[in-house]
Amino acid sequence: DESTAEEVKGGETQSIISHTSNRLTLIAQACRLLETTCRARTASASNGTDSSIGGTALLQAFLLPLTALESGAVSLSGDDYGAMDIIFSSCFRCSDILISEPHDDIGDGVDQRSLARAVMMVAVSVLTPPEGSNASLSKTNDAATGLLMTCVTSALIDTPEKRQLSVTTAEAGCWDAWKAVCSELDDGFGLSYSMPSIIGILADWDNSDRQISALAALRNAVQVSDQQDGGSTIGIIMQAAGAEIVSILKAYGVCSTPQGGVSDRLRVEACADSMKLIMVALQQLCSPGEAEEANVSAFLTVVFDIFTSLISYNGLPNRPSGRPNADPSLGRMCAQGLVHVVRTSPAAFKDTMALLEAEDRAVLEMAVRADMTGYAVAQSQAPAKKKLSLKGFK
């Protein structure tokens, strides 16, 4: 009957779940044994006793899966996510363990530099999932990122290789690894080398997530670096990609992106990050010893034109525009930028405002007043109520 069939079906399901769980547990235990053996090999080498524990078989045990992955013999888009996540993350950790040991010679004719070069590109490919992939290999991604960090912060990878790796990681969208590579290269060389690839991503309107993640990576680079390098990072970014950053702010700000509607979250993130880069650029432009009135006015003319568009479209907290998908917080963001210019570069603000059309100038002046007054809503004074005279009723 139906109840018996359901019980049999339920029992089969539980059996399959139990079998899968036991299988993953067994795979995890085998991988832990492999990692422990690698650590033992490293410890023996450090003590000067034996650097070949496990022999060639140990190296093959964690390199063969990575080789199969690199050659395409194994795909990360298969159904067995759980097992693959355990296996490949363990392979990357084993590589990381042996690359991190204090001796260059790993044993069995393998040196750290050769191993690092072999596994580094596999890690990058893993961190660049193919379009449409729905695999969730979180353990593998974390282990691959850790391996890349170990490689770029060591002496195993020389400067030309690191420069190329900055390009490769940028093209792959591996922004944590990209940041680590750039931090290992002096004078902004990593950033400069990778900017053409980043510009291509910023100009890719068909992939909003990738576009905005690149913008966030640039904003993070500015926050970390410009406190130490005297503003060279923002200079490199704006000189190379200033047009793309300005275009992103305007397109997302007034809901005119070529790819059509995007989520509110992505829209706010795009505007906030591009605004941050623009304001840091302005601060650098107006800093002592850097200011040239012609350059400042030219820059502000472009920025004020965009601010006018965003404020007109989105309105302000005390003056909504009523436009489709308008977000007054974006108007407020522009108003805050204007007030910052008023307070830090009043002369440049005045000169630039004088170049604007009267209508645009009125929009920006209104935004400045609104921000300085806390977006108070003007209250019209109600007419005084007439007192009722009772004399006529006597």
Side-chain angles (χ1 to χ4, degrees), residues 299-314:
F299 184 69
L300 286 181
T301 299
V302 174
V303 173
F304 282 11
D305 176 68
I306 296 172
F307 283 3
T308 302
S309 298
L310 265 66
I311 294 169
S312 298
Y313 187 91
N314 294 283

Side-chain angles (χ1 to χ4, degrees), residues 35-56:
E35 294 170 36
T36 300
T37 307
C38 287
R39 291 190 182 92
R41 183 174 179 136
T42 300
S44 297
S46 299
N47 295 331
T49 54
D50 186 6
S51 63
S52 60
I53 291 178
T56 306

Side-chain angles (χ1 to χ4, degrees), residues 224-305:
V224 171
S225 301
D226 276 1
Q227 299 174 358
Q228 306 166 354
D229 64 11
S232 64
T233 297
I234 190 62
I236 293 171
I237 291 172
M238 294 304 293
Q239 185 173 3
E244 286 74 20
I245 292 169
V246 166
S247 296
I248 287 173
L249 175 59
K250 185 168 185 178
Y252 281 94
V254 300
C255 297
S256 63
T257 53
Q259 73 271 36
V262 295
S263 69
D264 292 340
R265 177 185 62 82
L266 288 179
R267 185 177 173 222
V268 171
E269 286 180 8
C271 292
D273 287 340
S274 53
M275 177 73 78
K276 174 66 176 178
L277 291 169
I278 289 171
M279 295 311 298
V280 172
L282 179 62
Q283 290 173 0
Q284 176 64 19
L285 201 59
C286 296
S287 61
E290 297 285 341
E292 293 184 12
E293 289 187 10
N295 291 339
V296 175
S297 294
F299 184 69
L300 286 181
T301 299
V302 174
V303 173
F304 282 11
D305 176 68

